[in-house]
Amino acid sequence: MWRRTYLLLLLVRFYFAISPSYIHPDENFQGPEVIAGSLFSFPHHLTWEFTSDHPVRSVFPLWPVYGFPMVVLRWVWTETGKEEVAPEVIYYTLRVLMFILSFVLEDWAIYELIPSLRYRELARVLVASSYVTWTYQTHTFSNSIETLVVAWALVMIQRMLENKQRSSLRSSALLGFFITFGIFNRITFPAFLFLPGLYLVPHFLRKPFSLIVFALTTLLTTLFAVIVDTSFYNSSSALPLPWHLLHSPTITPLNSLLYNASRSNLSLHGLHAPYHHLLVSLPLLLGPSLLLLPFSNLYRPRLPLLSAVSATILLSLIPHQEPRFLLPVVPLLLTSMHLPKSRVHTRYFLAAWVIFNTVLALLMGIFHQGGVVSAQIWLGEQRNMGIGEVFWWRTYSPPVWLLDGNRLKVTDLMGMDMEDMIKRLEIGIGDGCRRPGVGLVAPRSSTALDAWTEGAGDGALVFEELWTYRRHVGLDDVDWGGEGVWQTLSRLVRRRGLTVWRVGRRCDGEDASSRIGNGHFHWAEWGHDGNGGVKDEG
């Protein structure tokens, strides 16, 4: 039964891996956007983390995770005689890669960390049935990579502790590499190894050669990572790389630590109470499984539980907290839990667990900002729309590199007020009704747009619907206080979808009914073939 259930859950995981949901912009701008822009001629955007005077993001872990697959894919593509690989192919290749890494490396680590066959099968199924595994872990988050590195660092620690006869030199060397890789990936990584790492103190005292190998590997990997980062961030400098390494090396973990040590810096991203992780993040990630903690063996905690406790406590001391910061905690706690002995209680738990993960998986794995990636890919395929700039409103920032060779200017208006958004559109269009218009990508749930898109607005703008993706829900377009919870949820579900509009000025003499591209609005004069129409996907 366990094996069949696990295989079924693998299929579910794969389905969500290739679904184009967009959980958070960081899954793009902290990884694929950077490497794709370096390897290909795609337009791309580097965020402040990579462009500040003291960059806080390392590219060292990005190259093996994203760079190597992209290089291999480009080589295979050119060997088949095709032109440059399409961004859409790269995007879904990376998603499939994250799926493979999750079920090979994460599930293998669980096998290593849980000695009991009975509890090992339960742990594998609990982790495999979590919506976090289906969604977050199959997306290109640095937190997803951190989850894998934490798990395998714990495996190395366990191997070193269990091997009483030898010095475990290979495990010591791998642990040094994992720790360096993890720190350069995310500065929060040491929090997960603080308590488990204390078990290594007597081990290193008994076997000093193991400590030497560990320290040497850590030092060499750190040196290599600094060289990679320094080379990347000084690629346009006229000075040679050795000069930068000697006089101004780029040490991104140190820059990140100094940045996050400032409360004023963190206030730009949002400040939270110390109990936020405990009362908000963990319930959001683990749901009813938290009720299983009393059934776990807390008196003899294993390394995964110690790691989860260590990270939750230490990361709660940082004022800025997001649920995905605790992503590695999910498999660590799930592998530490046992089902209640009562069959009735077990049935209640399983029912609640299935409902919780199904609802969150549908939301985060399919509908959450689900049209952003698909819309950007569609825009990249268009060459005769007659527009040069696309405004994104009330959505997450779109991945710029997915535009391929289409040099559209992307302007993110974020959650700008309706009046200010209309003014930006008017400025972008310019004067004259025959000037090329602009594009607008906006959620259909924004009722403020109805007066304009349905031809009843008091302005002189014409909206033509070009493309719609229905499996899109944006939780940023909400008004809980003014509209009410039920009305807001009903609107988001009933009017779900993301639409691409072409916006231009109405010529003098046109009536309001001509605003929806009915022939009075001469798209052909703007270089459009007049057959764009509406493409409804999803």
Side-chain angles (χ1 to χ4, degrees):
M1 182 189 72
W2 290 114
R3 181 172 298 179
R4 288 194 298 269
T5 303
Y6 176 74
L7 292 176
L8 175 62
L9 292 172
L10 274 184
L11 295 177
V12 174
R13 193 189 314 189
F14 180 76
Y15 172 78
F16 284 107
I18 59 176
S19 297
S21 69
Y22 197 36
I23 299 176
H24 194 280
D26 284 355
E27 67 181 273
N28 169 67
F29 290 103
Q30 291 182 359
E33 182 96 12
V34 180
I35 302 302
S38 299
L39 290 176
F40 302 93
S41 59
F42 305 147
H44 63 286
H45 171 70
L46 296 181
T47 59
W48 66 271
E49 298 155 303
F50 296 91
T51 59
S52 64
D53 294 334
H54 303 285
V56 300
R57 285 289 170 187
S58 172
V59 298
F60 163 66
L62 302 184
W63 283 108
V65 177
Y66 308 122
F68 179 72
M70 288 187 190
V71 170
V72 173
L73 189 61
R74 182 176 61 179
W75 176 79
V76 172
W77 213 254
T78 55
E79 286 296 311
T80 58
K82 299 180 181 179
E83 298 179 358
E84 188 172 70
V85 56
E88 183 178 8
V89 176
I90 300 174
Y91 173 82
Y92 284 107
T93 298
L94 293 180
R95 281 291 190 86
V96 172
L97 173 67
M98 294 302 296
F99 162 76
I100 294 173
L101 290 178
S102 71
F103 91 82
V104 173
L105 295 183
E106 185 177 16
D107 296 6
W108 184 6
I110 293 173
Y111 184 89
E112 293 260 359
L113 290 170
I114 309 300
S116 170
L117 177 61
R118 174 188 174 188
Y119 293 123
R120 181 191 299 158
E121 295 299 327
L122 172 63
R124 289 176 64 191
V125 170
L126 282 177
V127 173
S129 60
S130 169
Y131 87 94
V132 174
T133 304
W134 301 342
T135 58
Y136 283 91
Q137 201 57 40
T138 58
H139 285 229
T140 50
F141 282 111
S142 61
N143 312 88
S144 305
I145 300 302
E146 184 178 39
T147 300
L148 301 178
V149 182
V150 166
W152 277 95
L154 293 177
V155 170
M156 294 304 113
I157 293 176
Q158 181 165 291
R159 288 180 179 179
M160 294 166 66
L161 296 177
E162 290 177 349
N163 194 340
K164 304 295 185 180
Q165 305 298 324
R166 299 183 180 181
S167 297
S168 304
L169 300 185
R170 187 193 319 181
S171 298
S172 300
L174 288 174
L175 179 62
F177 171 79
F178 287 140
I179 288 179
T180 305
F181 190 96
I183 292 175
F184 275 81
N185 179 60
R186 292 190 62 84
I187 193 61
T188 55
F189 181 82
F192 293 90
L193 296 188
F194 179 74
L195 289 180
L198 296 178
Y199 282 89
L200 288 178
V201 175
H203 171 83
F204 285 139
L205 292 177
R206 291 194 309 268
K207 302 174 181 179
F209 196 58
S210 178
L211 175 61
I212 294 174
V213 171
F214 166 78
L216 184 61
T217 305
T218 304
L219 179 62
L220 292 177
T221 309
T222 300
L223 178 61
F224 181 74
V226 171
I227 292 174
V228 171
D229 284 342
T230 304
S231 175
F232 177 82
Y233 287 109
N234 296 279
S235 58
S236 60
S237 174
L239 297 173
L241 177 60
W243 187 93
H244 287 288
L245 290 172
L246 291 175
H247 296 87
S248 58
T250 303
I251 308 176
T252 51
L254 178 60
N255 295 340
S256 179
L257 181 63
L258 295 175
Y259 179 88
N260 287 281
S262 170
R263 188 177 180 86
S264 61
N265 289 336
L266 295 181
S267 65
L268 301 175
H269 309 277
L271 299 179
H272 303 88
Y275 51 78
H276 184 83
H277 273 326
L278 188 62
L279 299 184
V280 177
S281 299
L282 286 179
L284 185 60
L285 294 172
L286 290 162
S289 67
L290 289 174
L291 299 176
L292 295 182
L293 278 178
F295 300 98
S296 304
N297 191 353
L298 302 180
Y299 300 101
R300 297 180 59 188
R302 297 190 300 267
L303 291 179
L305 182 58
L306 285 174
S307 177
V309 172
S310 173
T312 303
I313 293 175
L314 294 178
L315 296 184
S316 294
L317 302 178
I318 302 175
H320 177 59
Q321 302 173 23
E322 297 181 30
R324 60 192 174 91
F325 294 171
L326 293 185
L327 213 59
V329 168
V330 174
L332 297 177
L333 283 182
L334 289 178
T335 56
S336 305
M337 295 176 179
H338 301 162
L339 291 176
K341 296 181 179 180
S342 170
R343 290 188 176 182
V344 175
H345 293 164
T346 298
R347 290 195 186 108
Y348 283 141
F349 163 73
L350 291 177
W353 181 244
V354 169
I355 295 173
F356 170 78
N357 286 291
T358 300
V359 172
L360 269 296
L362 290 175
L363 175 61
M364 305 306 294
I366 295 178
F367 289 99
H368 187 264
Q369 299 288 330
V372 172
V373 170
S374 297
Q376 194 75 322
I377 291 174
W378 182 83
L379 286 169
E381 295 171 346
Q382 311 309 306
R383 293 296 186 270
N384 297 307
M385 286 197 303
I387 60 177
E389 183 174 11
V390 177
F391 293 90
W392 289 72
W393 184 55
R394 292 186 177 178
T395 70
Y396 280 173
S397 299
V400 179
W401 67 282
L402 292 179
L403 285 175
D404 199 355
N406 196 334
R407 295 293 172 175
L408 285 172
K409 180 181 179 182
V410 176
T411 302
D412 185 8
L413 300 181
M414 296 181 285
M416 183 179 290
D417 291 338
M418 179 71 186
E419 293 182 1
D420 294 333
M421 186 271 288
I422 293 295
K423 291 179 181 178
R424 288 296 300 273
L425 292 180
E426 292 176 337
I427 294 173
I429 296 170
D431 299 327
C433 68
R434 300 304 180 193
R435 292 176 59 85
V438 297
L440 174 67
V441 183
R444 300 188 71 86
S445 59
S446 295
T447 55
L449 271 177
D450 292 350
W452 296 85
T453 59
E454 296 177 0
D458 57 358
L461 298 183
V462 183
F463 285 73
E464 181 190 16
E465 183 177 339
L466 299 179
W467 181 92
T468 292
Y469 188 88
R470 294 289 295 172
R471 294 192 296 178
H472 175 99
V473 172
L475 298 181
D476 293 340
D477 181 27
V478 296
D479 183 15
W480 303 113
E483 192 177 9
V485 175
W486 178 253
Q487 287 77 8
T488 299
L489 292 176
S490 176
R491 173 175 58 85
L492 291 176
V493 173
R494 177 170 39 87
R495 298 178 52 123
R496 65 189 181 277
L498 187 71
T499 295
V500 179
W501 305 89
R502 175 167 32 207
V503 187
R505 287 194 183 278
R506 179 165 58 92
C507 296
D508 294 337
E510 289 182 9
D511 56 21
S513 63
S514 66
R515 295 186 182 188
I516 316 299
N518 61 358
H520 293 283
F521 201 36
H522 300 289
W523 295 116
E525 296 184 18
W526 293 2
H528 181 59
D529 60 9
N531 297 318
V534 178
K535 181 179 181 182
D536 194 338
E537 296 193 358

